[in-house]
Amino acid sequence: MKNRCCNWMVLSLLAQLVILLSPGCSKEDTLVEITDWAATENVSAGESAKYLTFFEKASEEMDYCRALTCTDAGLEVVLQSNASITLPAGTPYLALSPEGRLVHYAAGTAAAEELDIELNVRDTWYEAPTLAVSADGFLIVAGRETDIVSTGRCVMDCGKYVYYYAGSSVVPVASEIRERFNPPLPKDRGLLKVLFVGNSFNVDATAHLPGILTADGTQRVLMGRVYHGGCTLPQYDDNYEADRFCSYRTWRPGEKDWDGDEEYDTNLKYAVEAEDWDVVTFMEYTGNSCCWSWNEEEKGHINSLIDRVFAAHPEKRPTVLFMLTQTFAAQSDLVATYFDSDQMKMYETITDFAQQVLDGTCIDDVIATGTCIQNLRTSSLNDDPVQDLSRDGFHLDYGVSRYAAACTIFYTLFEPCLRLDLSGNTYRYDVKLEHSTAHSIPVTDENVEICRHAAHAAADHPLTLTDMSLY
């Protein structure tokens, strides 16, 4: 884990604490820097170092935290390896609720005190809340003073990570106390390996990625794509090792397009194990009721697929994301039959499903290609109410829709992970088609920014429609 994000995260956290505790900070009259933490609680320097070493080793080896328990002896910490340590009685133990409320647990009791402190849950996945000590010896958490006496160290359970504070050291330990640990997106990797798993909508969303990445000139991306037409996630799970169930294609820097064809000549297990993937994305088929209603069966299959991915890469878990695919054209039979001819009703149903995925699994993030297309449908580019930016009422048109979907992936993955910049990218798609099943609006210098705006808005607000009527 440390190789993926902990190194940069710890450095960032240390810098924050140093700034907060330094004499030049805005709270210089109320904060006191504690340099001899052991002396504050009658713990030897050697024992104090032992605690820090325990957490640093857990962080380095990705030995997930699986239990934190207050006992009369102190705060017991248990890891997946069954390694454990008990911090001295009185060690402050704070936990962040899913709603972002901070709770203080007292040693030796299950009683909990809710503090008047709210934090952004997602922010704590990447940065520990700041911690300092007031001049009279009380903890200050995220700038808010508490009545918790400082003992020189503190443990804070923020869901995805358990943070151990000791003096100027802050150590993040991946946690599986609440659910399986799904790593956050890796940052600044030398080579980012991404596997896309899905159906024909997966092909639509990724079709223009080779052109975009080639125009960027990057040598830092390797992609795989798994395809089976109309396939649902339960079907992928049930046929995980089935012979000749799906196709697997790749793209490497220097290649003009996805290699090979879409022949069903392999299975998902082969693709998952083909590379040490950094990111794996799953999409549900929006033409099937699997994507219209959340139930225990669907939840079980998605969690099973996540288990399979993690089991295939025990040394370095990939980050698993959910891809929210497009709703269909307003005139499609499916919208008429199942959603009362109301396209927004379909969009809201599918975004609600995506929210259930986030709430019911360890998946934390969505690649919202579907939201991008709905955004684009409110713009001037949607000038054909029959096609409605599709090529056949279901699939994306070959030009601006596919391109915008690819931009959504770019903004969600390649920009934050690799710091790639789409603004000067010269890739365009100049093919114009007007056949009823092969519609294509060319991507041009005149409309490319409209596509990118729709994509950027979807990356920033994946489950919310952005009105683009002024574009």
Side-chain angles (χ1 to χ4, degrees):
M1 179 63 209
K2 198 163 187 177
N3 290 335
R4 296 174 66 93
C5 70
C6 287
N7 282 332
W8 65 264
M9 183 160 50
V10 170
L11 290 174
S12 173
L13 299 172
L14 293 179
Q16 290 179 49
L17 286 177
V18 168
I19 292 171
L20 188 58
L21 291 172
S22 66
C25 71
S26 60
K27 292 183 176 292
E28 59 182 348
D29 295 331
T30 59
L31 301 186
V32 59
E33 182 174 5
I34 301 222
T35 55
D36 184 5
W37 289 77
T40 65
E41 55 169 314
N42 195 30
V43 174
S44 69
E47 190 174 3
S48 184
K50 177 185 70 175
Y51 303 139
L52 182 59
T53 300
F54 175 87
F55 284 96
E56 287 177 336
K57 182 179 179 182
S59 180
E60 178 71 31
E61 297 180 356
M62 287 191 68
D63 193 355
Y64 307 127
C65 184
R66 66 176 174 88
L68 293 170
T69 307
C70 285
T71 69
D72 291 335
L75 178 61
E76 183 184 33
V77 183
V78 182
L79 306 178
Q80 291 286 21
S81 65
N82 288 324
S84 65
I85 200 167
T86 300
L87 300 171
T91 299
Y93 167 32
L94 307 176
L96 191 63
S97 73
E99 295 75 33
R101 301 289 296 182
L102 204 59
V103 177
H104 173 225
Y105 291 89
T109 175
E113 172 196 7
E114 186 174 280
L115 306 177
D116 186 24
I117 298 175
E118 290 190 12
L119 301 172
N120 186 308
V121 176
R122 187 171 293 260
D123 286 348
T124 66
W125 296 350
Y126 297 94
E127 294 185 359
T130 56
L131 196 68
V133 182
S134 68
D136 49 359
F138 294 98
L139 288 183
I140 296 175
V141 183
R144 300 289 298 277
E145 187 166 349
T146 71
D147 58 1
I148 302 169
V149 177
S150 170
T151 61
R153 57 186 51 81
C154 178
V155 173
M156 196 178 302
D157 174 9
C158 290
K160 185 174 282 292
Y161 290 98
V162 168
Y163 292 101
Y164 175 65
Y165 299 80
S168 59
S169 298
V170 185
V171 183
V173 178
S175 174
E176 295 203 322
I177 295 175
R178 307 187 198 187
E179 62 184 17
R180 286 165 300 174
F181 179 76
N182 186 15
L185 286 175
K187 306 291 184 178
D188 298 322
R189 296 302 303 272
L191 177 67
L192 186 73
K193 300 181 180 181
V194 184
L195 178 66
F196 300 96
V197 180
N199 42 64
S200 57
F201 302 150
N202 193 35
V203 174
D204 277 346
T206 59
H208 289 303
L209 284 178
I212 292 172
L213 293 171
T214 298
D216 179 85
T218 183
Q219 299 292 307
R220 302 172 59 198
V221 177
L222 185 154
M223 299 185 294
R225 186 173 74 194
V226 177
Y227 162 77
H228 182 117
C231 192
T232 66
L233 292 181
Q235 289 171 330
Y236 266 120
D237 188 34
D238 288 338
N239 294 278
Y240 186 72
E241 299 184 38
D243 292 335
R244 305 181 68 82
F245 182 74
C246 58
S247 68
Y248 169 62
R249 301 180 67 181
T250 60
W251 179 83
R252 291 175 170 81
E255 297 176 349
K256 294 182 178 180
D257 204 347
W258 293 93
D259 73 325
D261 54 36
E262 303 293 1
E263 180 182 355
Y264 298 167
D265 57 1
T266 188
N267 53 46
L268 181 54
K269 180 177 185 293
Y270 174 83
V272 167
E273 296 177 358
E275 299 282 350
D276 56 337
W277 303 108
D278 297 298
V279 179
V280 175
T281 77
F282 288 108
M283 64 163 55
E284 189 52 283
Y285 175 47
T286 53
N288 187 287
S289 60
C290 284
C291 204
W292 305 338
S293 59
W294 181 254
N295 54 45
E296 287 302 312
E297 181 181 4
E298 181 76 14
K299 177 180 176 180
H301 280 295
I302 293 177
N303 280 321
S304 175
L305 287 169
I306 296 169
D307 284 341
R308 294 182 188 277
V309 170
F310 288 168
H313 302 281
E315 299 301 319
K316 188 198 71 174
R317 291 184 183 179
T319 303
V320 179
L321 304 181
F322 182 73
M323 189 180 294
L324 169 66
T325 56
Q326 71 273 13
T327 56
F328 300 138
Q331 306 300 322
S332 73
D333 293 341
L334 186 144
V335 174
T337 303
Y338 296 101
F339 298 97
D340 304 321
S341 297
D342 185 346
Q343 187 191 59
M344 279 304 299
K345 183 177 180 180
M346 180 180 188
Y347 171 72
E348 290 166 357
T349 299
I350 292 174
T351 52
D352 181 67
F353 176 89
Q355 185 62 60
Q356 296 296 328
V357 172
L358 299 180
D359 293 341
T361 73
C362 67
I363 295 176
D364 304 307
D365 290 301
V366 170
I367 303 176
T369 58
T371 294
C372 170
I373 301 308
Q374 285 301 106
N375 293 344
L376 203 62
R377 282 175 171 146
T378 68
S379 76
S380 61
L381 291 183
N382 191 21
D383 60 358
D384 186 335
V386 176
Q387 295 293 348
D388 201 24
L389 295 182
S390 77
R391 65 178 183 269
D392 55 9
F394 294 89
H395 300 92
L396 299 184
D397 100 283
Y398 288 113
V400 297
S401 297
R402 276 187 163 190
Y403 175 79
C407 289
T408 307
I409 297 174
F410 189 99
Y411 286 130
T412 308
L413 285 182
F414 303 130
E415 184 181 71
C417 293
L418 299 176
R419 303 179 188 270
L420 300 186
D421 185 2
L422 190 58
S423 60
N425 194 284
T426 59
Y427 175 76
R428 302 289 184 268
Y429 183 78
D430 60 3
V431 178
K432 180 176 178 62
L433 300 170
E434 295 183 351
H435 190 275
S436 60
T437 59
H439 194 60
S440 176
I441 302 173
V443 179
T444 67
D445 291 341
E446 287 69 33
N447 65 26
V448 68
E449 290 303 324
I450 299 177
C451 298
R452 291 175 182 174
H453 183 82
H456 212 297
D460 290 342
H461 307 287
L463 303 183
T464 303
L465 179 67
T466 297
D467 182 9
M468 292 181 54
S469 56
L470 298 179
Y471 288 83

